[in-house]
Amino acid sequence: MSSIMTNASALTALQSLNATNKSLQQTQARISTGYRVAEAVDNAAYWSIATTMRSDNQALSTVQDSLGLGASKVDTAYTGMNKAIDTINSIKVKLVAAYGSTDAEKEKFQTEIETLQKQMKSYADGATFSGTNMLSVSTASGTAADVKIVSAFNRDASGKASISTIDVNVESIKLYDAGAAPDAKGILDTARLGTTGAATTSAQDPTLGDDPATGDTYSVAKLSVKGASDGQISQMMNVVDAALKDMTNAATTLGAAKSSIDLQKTFTTSLMDSIDRGVGQLVDADMNKESTRLQALQVQQQLGIQALSIANSSSQSILSLFKG
């Protein structure tokens, strides 16, 4: 049936052209943005996953910055500790040289020892990065607080987020503690028994020049060979040896923390790359596929326009029925 009121062919051609135009707009949007899923309307599930993972990746970027800052703090303390170890070795050499020497010679050795003691304090005080110093602290009471370095941002299966840290035990590595009443002083300013070199909270100053007394204590930071007897110098060597062992352990702790931070930095970088790849597989557009689809849709659009034109012109043939 021919009708001038309803052109079924034109309606069909128009629907087909509209569908082609819609697909063409979608393909052009993918090519211009580079995303197959750019908004929630494109694919709600993939968009939600991608948005969450992008947010987590931004958090990991902050973790990476925190690890870099933490590495600098630990490296600064490690450098200061190594310099202090070199210096305490020099003090040990001076004590050996002072053993059996005259009082006049001991005075000269003491001048050198005091210079080295000041140098160690300078190293400890200077080992500060971004306001953090692990070697020279001031604990009002109790123990020195650990230095916490953010090392990871985690999300469990239920979606709950959490933070992991690498903790550096400052109490075990501090060289000086200027606090009024800490539980324990630092490695270098604590009182140590002359017999064993063990740290103690009960200080007993020796009477220099006398034979060593039971319970005499010495501090590496305040060692004095001036007027000391050879027996007392021998006890001082025990104290320096014990302090050197503690400093070596402290340097090992810092070295292990530094290694752990470096490994975590490498892992975090790899993890961020993996997340980027995973998100890309969900939402990125395949440009080869989209470019091919674009060309096909452009041809379909041209054919659709031609079909609509033909359908519109078909009704004009009805006019020929009314010609005389």
Side-chain angles (χ1 to χ4, degrees):
M1 181 183 74
S2 297
S3 171
I4 62 172
M5 302 302 296
T6 303
N7 190 334
S9 298
L11 292 176
T12 301
L14 182 60
Q15 290 175 0
S16 177
L17 181 60
N18 286 337
T20 300
N21 286 338
K22 183 177 180 180
S23 296
L24 186 60
Q25 289 175 356
Q26 185 182 60
T27 300
Q28 288 174 332
R30 289 177 178 179
I31 291 174
S32 62
T33 63
Y35 290 118
R36 177 169 60 93
V37 180
E39 299 176 351
V41 68
D42 297 328
N43 187 313
Y46 283 1
W47 179 85
S48 176
I49 294 171
T51 300
T52 300
M53 296 311 297
R54 288 190 185 112
S55 175
D56 288 355
N57 234 16
Q58 290 177 356
L60 285 174
S61 179
T62 303
V63 168
Q64 203 170 37
D65 293 340
S66 177
L67 286 168
L69 180 61
S72 298
K73 292 178 180 179
V74 172
D75 192 49
T76 300
Y78 184 77
T79 301
M81 184 67 71
N82 278 339
K83 296 301 292 184
I85 288 174
D86 291 340
T87 306
I88 199 173
N89 276 323
S90 297
I91 290 177
K92 185 176 180 180
V93 170
K94 299 303 178 185
L95 290 175
V96 173
Y99 190 89
S101 63
T102 64
D103 288 343
E105 290 172 333
K106 287 177 182 177
E107 286 189 24
K108 294 177 182 178
F109 286 126
Q110 180 57 32
T111 299
E112 294 181 279
I113 289 173
E114 287 178 356
T115 300
L116 294 171
Q117 288 169 332
K118 291 178 181 178
Q119 191 62 55
M120 283 195 301
K121 186 67 166 68
S122 176
Y123 289 145
D125 290 344
T128 302
F129 188 92
S130 188
T132 299
N133 191 320
M134 305 184 205
L135 305 185
S136 182
V137 302
S138 181
T139 308
S141 62
T143 60
D146 292 350
V147 170
K148 295 183 178 294
I149 300 166
V150 176
S151 60
F153 176 84
N154 310 306
R155 189 180 295 278
D156 62 20
S158 66
K160 182 180 179 180
S162 61
I163 298 292
S164 298
T165 60
I166 295 173
D167 299 341
V168 181
N169 189 332
V170 176
E171 184 68 17
S172 66
I173 66 173
K174 63 182 182 180
L175 298 182
Y176 298 91
D177 195 328
D183 285 352
K185 301 291 280 184
I187 294 173
L188 297 179
D189 62 356
T190 190
R192 294 177 180 272
L193 292 171
T195 52
T196 62
T200 178
T201 55
S202 301
Q204 177 179 308
D205 293 334
T207 302
L208 295 180
D210 292 349
D211 290 333
T214 303
D216 279 353
T217 60
Y218 304 86
S219 166
V220 176
K222 297 180 180 179
L223 283 180
S224 177
V225 298
K226 184 178 179 180
S229 65
D230 287 343
Q232 290 172 331
I233 292 176
S234 181
Q235 286 196 333
M236 292 178 194
M237 285 190 279
N238 289 337
V239 168
V240 168
D241 238 10
L244 181 58
K245 182 179 179 180
D246 289 345
M247 292 170 72
T248 302
N249 291 337
T252 301
T253 298
L254 288 170
K258 188 173 184 296
S259 177
S260 180
I261 290 171
D262 289 341
L263 289 172
Q264 192 64 29
K265 285 173 66 178
T266 301
F267 170 73
T268 301
T269 300
S270 299
L271 181 59
M272 290 175 67
D273 291 343
S274 296
I275 291 175
D276 281 338
R277 289 194 296 270
V279 171
Q281 290 174 355
L282 288 177
V283 301
D284 286 357
D286 184 341
M287 300 306 285
N288 290 331
K289 179 180 178 180
E290 298 301 334
S291 64
T292 302
R293 181 174 173 79
L294 177 65
Q295 293 180 12
L297 288 170
Q298 287 174 337
V299 172
Q300 291 178 30
Q301 184 187 48
Q302 292 173 5
L303 291 174
I305 293 172
Q306 187 67 29
L308 181 60
S309 176
I310 293 172
N312 285 333
S313 63
S314 63
S315 60
Q316 295 178 0
S317 61
I318 296 177
L319 294 174
S320 61
L321 298 175
F322 299 94
K323 291 181 179 179

